[in-house]
């Protein structure tokens, strides 16, 4: 799907039941909804900085029964033209979380589950054997090389995805970042509209990617994060099921303009 426009709402409006249809319909039609000042940006930035100090990497990233919260280095090529270069941390509701992250995002997770027509209380208790699970996926993209290639995510399980901005263009970089495609297949970068602590809602099938970020202004990057960081609040299928749906890379030349 192609991107249409940005819509900004308040945190209060996000949680009001009367706005459920307005938010859901706008996202499903290709708009990106920005919720301003949803989290305290400084708290998220501190959490990221602490995680980066002593990462404990694992090679097994399959979400099967008994999986712990993990950290791994992602430099890979997946299905189709899909490629990534980032550091990733997975957090799951059934594990002990010393960072406090899952507690911070629980209320937001519940609302995202509702927007995707799931019972949030049931979903929050699910583990990989139940197929559908919640995962908080923190991604860090180092300057100059961190990226995710153009892709769209499966929409059978999740139609509306939520992303939390930990870094921001105003504080941490000058070029690159998250982009979507408009009807002319033009890359539209939106990070300049979003601050640390804001969240975005977008359709999982939207054509999107992340380009490497670059620091041009020496006055930025005071926290020495040295890249871009994003927290994805996901509803997805576990690896306990062989027929689970995967993200697929897309070549720009294969997309037909509208």
């Amino acid at each position: 799907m192609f991107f249409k426009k940005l819509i900004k709402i308040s945190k209060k409006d996000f949680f009001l039941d009367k706005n459920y249809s307005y938010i859901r319909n706008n996202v499903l039609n290709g708009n990106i909804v920005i919720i301003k000042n949803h989290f305290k940006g400084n708290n998220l930035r501190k959490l990221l900085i602490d995680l980066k100090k002593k990462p404990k990497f694992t090679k097994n990233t399959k979400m099967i029964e008994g999986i712990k919260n993990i950290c791994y280095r992602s430099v890979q090529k997946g299905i189709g033209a899909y490629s990534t270069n980032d550091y990733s941390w997975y957090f799951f509701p059934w594990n002990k979380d010393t960072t406090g992250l899952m507690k911070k995002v629980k209320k937001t997770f519940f609302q995202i589950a509702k927007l995707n027509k799931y019972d949030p209380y049931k979903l929050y208790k699910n583990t990989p054997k139940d197929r559908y699970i919640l995962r908080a996926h923190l991604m860090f993209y180092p300057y100059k090389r961190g990226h995710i290639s153009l892709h769209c995510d499966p929409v059978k399980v999740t139609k509306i995805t939520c992303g939390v901005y930990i870094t921001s263009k105003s504080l941490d970089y000058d070029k690159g970042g998250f982009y979507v495609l408009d009807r002319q297949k033009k890359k539209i970068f939106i990070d300049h509209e979003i601050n640390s602590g804001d969240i975005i809602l977008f359709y999982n099938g939207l054509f999107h990617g992340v380009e490497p970020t670059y620091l041009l202004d020496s006055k930025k990057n005071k926290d020495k994060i040295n890249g871009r960081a994003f927290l994805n609040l996901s509803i997805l299928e576990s690896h306990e099921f062989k027929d689970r749906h995967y993200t697929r890379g897309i070549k720009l030349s294969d997309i037909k303009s509208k």
Side-chain angles (χ1 to χ4, degrees):
M1 179 180 282
F2 293 106
F3 165 70
K4 291 183 179 177
K5 65 180 181 180
L6 296 175
I7 298 172
K8 297 180 182 180
I9 65 173
S10 68
K11 181 177 180 179
K12 180 181 178 181
D13 287 335
F14 170 68
F15 285 112
L16 286 177
D17 289 340
K18 68 177 184 179
N19 293 328
Y20 171 90
S21 295
Y22 171 80
I23 294 171
R24 181 176 165 83
N25 291 339
N26 269 294
V27 174
L28 296 185
N29 284 327
N31 302 300
I32 294 179
V33 175
I34 303 173
I35 296 94
K36 303 297 292 181
N37 303 310
H38 192 86
F39 293 106
K40 293 182 179 178
N42 287 339
N43 291 347
L44 294 173
R45 294 169 72 85
K46 184 179 184 304
L47 186 150
L48 170 68
I49 291 167
D50 289 342
L51 286 172
K52 285 178 62 188
K53 287 178 181 177
K54 294 181 179 180
K56 296 180 180 179
F57 296 113
T58 183
K59 292 184 179 180
N60 184 9
T61 62
K62 289 190 178 296
M63 298 173 292
I64 59 175
E65 197 68 20
I67 186 174
K68 304 298 182 182
N69 294 343
I70 61 172
C71 171
Y72 67 97
R73 182 79 172 93
S74 177
V75 182
Q76 62 179 339
K77 290 186 177 180
I79 297 174
Y82 187 61
S83 68
T84 64
N85 189 322
D86 63 69
Y87 293 83
S88 284
W89 288 261
Y90 286 174
F91 298 86
F92 301 101
W94 56 81
N95 289 325
K96 182 179 179 181
D97 175 25
T98 57
T99 69
L101 177 63
M102 292 304 292
K103 185 177 180 180
K104 289 180 190 297
V105 302
K106 184 176 180 179
K107 185 179 178 182
T108 303
F109 245 142
F110 270 44
Q111 196 68 2
I112 298 303
K114 290 179 184 177
L115 286 168
N116 281 284
K117 297 189 174 182
Y118 287 98
D119 178 345
Y121 297 95
K122 182 179 184 300
L123 195 60
Y124 204 80
K125 293 178 181 178
N126 279 3
T127 60
K129 63 177 173 50
D130 300 307
R131 190 171 193 127
Y132 304 120
I133 57 174
L134 294 177
R135 182 188 72 191
H137 180 188
L138 194 159
M139 292 162 276
F140 169 66
Y141 307 94
Y143 286 145
K144 298 182 180 180
R145 64 184 188 278
H147 75 275
I148 296 183
S149 63
L150 179 64
H151 67 281
C152 62
D153 297 301
V155 298
K156 182 180 178 181
V157 178
T158 302
K159 287 184 169 55
I160 298 175
T161 194
C162 174
V164 183
Y165 272 68
I166 298 176
T167 53
S168 70
K169 191 173 182 181
S170 63
L171 295 174
D172 303 289
Y173 53 94
D174 299 287
K175 183 181 177 183
F178 183 79
Y179 68 87
V180 288
L181 297 185
D182 66 10
R183 290 180 180 274
Q184 286 72 47
K185 299 198 301 184
K186 180 183 177 182
K187 290 183 180 180
I188 307 297
F189 291 88
I190 67 168
D191 284 2
H192 63 283
E193 297 278 356
I194 306 165
N195 297 318
S196 178
D198 293 349
I199 71 173
I200 62 172
L201 307 177
F202 62 95
Y203 181 59
N204 235 27
L206 206 64
F207 300 124
H208 63 284
V210 176
E211 285 203 348
T213 54
Y214 295 86
L215 180 67
L216 306 175
D217 184 351
S218 60
K219 293 180 181 178
K220 293 185 179 181
N221 194 34
K222 291 181 179 180
D223 290 334
K224 303 300 179 185
I225 289 176
N226 299 322
R228 179 181 183 272
F230 185 80
L231 176 67
N232 187 217
L233 304 183
S234 312
I235 303 168
L236 68 169
E237 294 170 294
S238 76
H239 288 92
E240 293 284 357
F241 298 84
K242 293 182 179 180
D243 61 342
R244 75 185 296 269
H245 294 74
Y246 288 86
T247 294
R248 293 181 179 272
I250 301 170
K251 292 182 179 179
L252 190 63
S253 57
D254 291 339
I255 301 174
K256 294 181 180 180
S257 299
K258 286 189 177 181

